[in-house]
């Protein structure tokens, strides 16, 4: 499959490298490829400059958001939640039309410091906002309830855990579920339509406090039934 991963941060890099490892064609999308490659300092999270990472992953291409989305069969939104709508707008509605859009972003609001709150909740979600803004895309919310490394390598935990999918299009959810299974997830729960993304996005305040209590992001939820 041809994937576009929108976002050059740690989440985008982790998703892109795992897709490449699994044999998929991957293009990472960014605002300005030349500027992205010209940076030499670590990012605000301490990650190495993108050019350093790209050198270690020669099979992964870098392009503008629009170019990456246009060339892909599946688009992954790995941007920060507060930038997602803008970035997807730069990718272009036409480039997203008819495609599976895997949205893993969360609506985190850091304006009041840590821990962040949510800028949308209860009666709406970022997943729904994206679906409304791009009605011809087939949005599936998934993988937003665990850290990036466990998104793509769930065997990093000693026991199996659960992930969720939300979306209006059954075929799109099936495609995302197949990808999650390829990543190694064994318990993929279909919550229903895109409005159910409210629930998984509102897990983030709990997740953040668990990370603080446990001192590590290497954990996940397990639904026992």
């Amino acid at each position: 499959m041809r994937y576009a991963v929108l976002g050059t941060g740690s989440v985008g890099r982790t998703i892109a490298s795992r897709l490449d490892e699994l044999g998929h064609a991957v293009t990472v999308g960014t605002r300005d490829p030349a500027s992205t490659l010209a940076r030499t300092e670590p990012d605000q999270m301490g990650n190495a400059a993108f050019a350093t990472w790209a050198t270690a992953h020669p099979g992964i291409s870098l392009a503008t958001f629009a170019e990456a989305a246009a060339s892909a069969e599946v688009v992954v939104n790995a941007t920060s939640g507060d930038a997602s709508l803008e970035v997807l707008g730069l990718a272009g509605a036409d480039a997203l039309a008819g495609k599976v859009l895997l949205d893993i972003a969360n609506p985190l609001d850091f304006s009041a410091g840590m821990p962040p709150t949510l800028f949308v909740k209860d009666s709406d979600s970022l997943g729904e906002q994206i679906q409304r803004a791009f009605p011809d895309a087939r949005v599936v919310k998934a993988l937003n309830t665990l850290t990036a490394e466990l998104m793509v390598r769930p065997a990093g935990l000693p026991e199996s855990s659960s992930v969720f999918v939300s979306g209006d299009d059954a075929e799109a959810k099936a495609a995302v579920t197949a990808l999650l299974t390829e990543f190694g997830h064994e318990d993929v729960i279909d919550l229903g339509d895109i409005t159910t993304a409210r629930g998984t996005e509102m897990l983030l305040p709990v997740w953040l406090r668990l990370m603080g209590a446990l001192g590590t992001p290497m954990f996940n939820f397990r639904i026992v039934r």
Side-chain angles (χ1 to χ4, degrees), residues 24-207:
H24 298 288
V26 186
T27 301
V28 171
T30 187
R31 292 175 187 271
D32 182 339
S35 294
T36 297
L37 291 172
R39 298 187 192 112
T40 58
E41 297 297 319
D43 66 15
Q44 59 187 6
M45 301 299 291
N47 300 305
F50 185 84
T52 302
W53 179 86
T55 299
H57 298 84
I60 299 175
S61 303
L62 183 68
T64 65
F65 293 127
E67 291 166 342
S71 67
E73 297 169 277
V74 177
V75 178
V76 181
N77 174 33
T79 64
S80 60
D82 58 354
S84 291
L85 288 170
E86 178 191 1
V87 167
L88 291 168
L90 293 171
D94 290 344
L96 299 175
K99 295 179 180 176
V100 176
L101 174 51
L102 169 54
D103 173 36
I104 62 178
N106 280 303
L108 298 178
D109 179 359
F110 293 90
S111 62
M114 292 291 289
T117 57
L118 303 178
F119 62 74
V120 58
K121 60 186 178 68
D122 297 324
S123 59
D124 199 4
S125 65
L126 179 60
E128 290 171 84
Q129 291 182 350
I130 291 171
Q131 185 64 86
R132 287 196 301 271
F134 304 94
D136 294 327
R138 300 188 290 163
V139 179
V140 179
K141 191 83 182 190
L143 293 181
N144 64 304
T145 55
L146 66 171
T147 196
E149 180 61 24
L150 294 177
M151 291 179 191
V152 299
R153 292 182 179 84
L157 294 176
E159 298 181 33
S160 64
S161 56
S162 306
V163 289
F164 313 97
V165 294
S166 301
D168 295 337
D169 188 291
E171 289 185 358
K173 285 192 290 187
V176 169
T177 297
L179 175 62
L180 301 185
T181 301
E182 192 175 5
F183 283 163
H185 293 283
E186 298 176 353
D187 187 28
V188 183
I189 301 174
D190 184 345
L191 294 179
D193 67 22
I194 194 63
T195 65
T196 62
R198 300 172 193 178
T200 56
E201 291 180 5
M202 287 192 289
L203 276 176
L204 262 294
V206 176
W207 188 94

